[in-house]
Each structure stands twice: as structure tokens, then as C-alpha cells.
Amino acid sequence: MARKHFEEHEVIERGLSAAVSSLESHVRSAEQKHAEARAWSEDVLKEQKSNIQGWEADFSRLDALPANSEFIQFVQPRASTPRKDTKKAVGVTLKAFVSAEDVKNAATMAQKISTKF
């Protein structure tokens, strides 16, 4: 009877050992994935912080980039901009197609979100 008890105890110990080994393997895998996700999120946050800090300089650069007539035709509906007028558009920059208020609001929102992330 004692022998049977020890055999059953040994079977239980082997089963528990296998279960613990499997659990340890899963935990190591989860820890590795967590570390990778953390590194990725830190990289994203650094990039986002850089973008938030430099948005004004980036936005002002749009003033130096001329908008060619093909771009203007693509962005603006034909009904509101006759073809002959777009071909004569001289001195129009990309900044004319971006709302400063929208960019400012987006930067503010991105900053609020990044602090929660």
C-alpha cells in the first residue's frame, strides 16, 4: 500500500514538473515579447516626441515648396478651379493647401495622447 502511494506521488510530481516546465517556457516567451513591444513603443514615442517638437519648423518649410499645376489640379475640385487658372498659378506653395489651425490642433492632440501612452 505504501508502495502504491509512493508510485502515485511520483506520477503526480512528474506531471507537475512537466506543467511547471511548460509554464516557465510560456512565461519566458511572454517576457521576450513584452520586451520587444516595450522597445518598439519607446522608439515610437521618441519619434512622436521629435515630430511634435518640430512640427512648427516642418510646417514653415511648406512655404518654400512650390505647388505645381498638376498637384493643384489633383487637390482642388475642377468645378472650383478652372483648368486655365491652375496653369497660371505662380508662387503658390504647399502651405496654401494645409490649415495651420488643423496642424496645430493635431500637434496638441498628439502631445496629449503621447503623455497617456
Side-chain angles (χ1 to χ4, degrees), residues 95-107:
K95 197 170 188 176
F97 298 93
V98 181
S99 164
E101 191 62 31
D102 288 348
V103 173
K104 186 176 181 177
N105 290 340

Side-chain angles (χ1 to χ4, degrees), residues 40-90:
W40 172 83
S41 68
E42 287 172 357
D43 289 344
V44 168
L45 282 174
K46 285 178 190 175
E47 182 180 351
Q48 186 174 4
K49 185 177 180 181
S50 172
N51 290 338
I52 290 170
Q53 290 175 344
W55 77 266
E56 290 170 324
D58 293 340
F59 183 69
S60 67
R61 284 190 204 114
L62 293 177
D63 231 0
L65 300 171
N68 63 29
S69 61
E70 291 86 6
F71 176 79
I72 295 169
Q73 289 175 359
F74 179 75
V75 174
Q76 293 181 340
R78 288 184 182 227
S80 65
T81 307
R83 233 174 181 202
K84 56 186 173 186
D85 290 346
T86 58
K87 296 216 180 212
K88 294 179 183 177
V90 178

